[in-house]
Amino acid sequence: MMTQEQCTHRNNVQSSEKPQVYKVGIYGWRKRCLYFFVLLLMILILINLALTIWILKVMNFTIDGMGNLRITEKGLKLEGDSEFLQPLYAKEIQSKPGRPLFLQSSRNVSVNIVNSNNQLLTQLVTGSSGFKARGKMFEVKSTSGKLLFSADEQEVVVGAERLRVMGAEGAVFSKSVETPHVRAEPFKELRLESPTRSLLMEAPKGIQILAEAGDIQAICRNELRLESKDGEISLDARRIRLMRLPEGKASTSSSSSGTRQTVYEVCVCPNGRLFLSQAGTGSTCQISNNVCL
């Protein structure tokens, strides 16, 4: 056991020693670096906040949309000019009431209709080279719903009351033309012409050529044929003139050496050819039949 003197000496020794203190925290260059990074982070946050506010101000962000773009109950609403750099997919594109819808492109504007397999069904292209449409059928209707024009692989139908061809050369048809009536404009002439081939008009019940206030001319280079298989051909006029008919020459024995003959009769050859023969007391067609040879 320790004596009272030893305990007193030990307590005096312990009280004479200084207590040790341990420092907690960041000191020195580490503390300066931490303050520097905190300051830099605050500056970046302020710059980011300023840029965000500037972008919102420039792009005109609101609770209804951005810039000219507005979000409404019916969809998106664009005001002013808009430019799309990527494809635009929309169910419906509509302009403002009373305002036109304007589409502009430096190359072309294409409208494509595809099926579920992404196969092209209908295409509409407007470009610098012209206007092109591709599809099974093309129709043009009036405001009342009347068909004005339609075209498909089988036929082309013009539903207007009048078809007007303004070209100087008229209308050119490489195949047959079927129509119930061909009529010129008032006070204008109607001309059917085939410069290098023949012109054929055919009808099962007849063809009527009528000119109420003018003349009818049929001009050809080789042959003009009027044919009626079951009926007749009637020439009903006050005056019928047969121009440039050949004149038959009578034999020397039968010809009279008198005054110049001014009266002729019209003769018909067995092949249907017409010629003139000098008139006499009787028919001279048998005498002047050298034209029929």
Side-chain angles (χ1 to χ4, degrees):
M1 294 182 63
M2 295 178 60
T3 61
Q4 183 177 3
E5 184 180 357
Q6 290 177 348
C7 291
T8 303
H9 177 72
R10 185 175 180 179
N11 292 331
N12 293 331
V13 173
Q14 290 181 355
S15 61
S16 63
E17 294 180 357
K18 294 181 180 180
Q20 295 181 357
V21 178
Y22 296 95
K23 298 181 179 180
V24 179
I26 300 176
Y27 299 94
W29 64 271
R30 294 184 179 87
K31 183 177 181 180
R32 289 191 294 269
C33 289
L34 178 61
Y35 287 162
F36 174 76
F37 284 122
V38 170
L39 179 62
L40 180 61
L41 181 60
M42 292 179 62
I43 294 173
L44 292 177
I45 291 175
L46 292 177
I47 293 175
N48 191 12
L49 181 61
L51 290 176
T52 303
I53 296 175
W54 179 75
I55 292 174
L56 293 176
K57 182 68 175 179
V58 171
M59 300 300 293
N60 194 12
F61 275 96
T62 61
I63 58 176
D64 296 329
M66 177 187 66
N68 295 330
L69 180 64
R70 295 290 183 267
I71 301 176
T72 62
E73 296 179 355
K74 298 182 180 180
L76 298 179
K77 180 180 179 181
L78 288 173
E79 297 179 355
D81 299 335
S82 301
E83 182 178 357
F84 299 93
L85 302 179
Q86 297 295 331
L88 174 64
Y89 299 94
K91 182 179 180 181
E92 181 181 356
I93 300 177
Q94 184 179 0
S95 63
K96 286 185 176 181
R99 298 290 298 274
L101 178 62
F102 183 69
L103 301 177
Q104 182 179 359
S105 174
S106 59
R107 296 291 296 274
N108 55 32
V109 177
S110 302
V111 179
N112 299 332
I113 306 298
V114 297
N115 57 8
S116 58
N117 297 327
N118 203 20
Q119 294 179 352
L120 183 62
L121 299 178
T122 305
Q123 185 180 34
L124 179 64
V125 180
T126 58
S128 58
S129 60
F131 177 84
K132 296 180 181 179
R134 178 182 176 185
K136 295 181 179 180
M137 185 175 61
F138 178 76
E139 286 187 355
V140 178
K141 294 185 178 181
S142 63
T143 55
S144 60
K146 180 181 178 181
L147 180 63
L148 299 179
F149 180 85
S150 68
D152 56 16
E153 295 181 356
Q154 301 296 329
E155 63 181 2
V156 176
V157 178
V158 178
E161 296 180 358
R162 179 178 298 179
L163 175 63
R164 185 184 298 270
V165 181
M166 302 298 295
E169 299 297 330
V172 179
F173 302 95
S174 59
K175 299 296 182 179
S176 62
V177 179
E178 181 178 353
T179 176
H181 192 191
V182 178
R183 182 180 61 183
E185 292 184 356
F187 306 105
K188 298 293 182 65
E189 64 178 9
L190 175 63
R191 185 173 183 179
L192 302 178
E193 181 180 0
S194 178
T196 58
R197 293 293 185 270
S198 61
L199 178 61
L200 175 63
M201 292 186 294
E202 183 179 357
K205 293 185 179 181
I207 297 175
Q208 182 181 4
I209 302 176
L210 178 62
E212 296 181 354
D215 300 333
I216 296 177
Q217 294 183 1
I219 302 174
C220 65
R221 182 176 181 85
N222 293 328
E223 187 175 289
L224 176 62
R225 177 179 297 178
L226 301 177
E227 181 180 355
S228 178
K229 296 181 180 179
D230 297 332
E232 63 180 10
I233 298 176
S234 300
L235 301 177
D236 187 3
R238 293 182 179 180
R239 180 183 299 176
I240 297 176
R241 301 178 61 185
L242 302 176
M243 308 295 294
R244 300 174 59 183
L245 289 180
E247 181 180 348
K249 301 297 182 180
S251 58
T252 306
S253 59
S254 60
S255 61
S256 59
S257 59
T259 60
R260 183 180 178 183
Q261 181 65 271
T262 58
V263 180
Y264 297 88
E265 62 175 324
V266 180
C267 303
V268 182
C269 297
N271 58 3
R273 186 175 184 181
L274 299 179
F275 66 94
L276 297 178
S277 178
Q278 295 180 0
T281 57
S283 177
T284 58
C285 294
Q286 296 295 333
I287 302 174
S288 305
N289 60 356
N290 58 338
V291 182
C292 300
L293 300 179

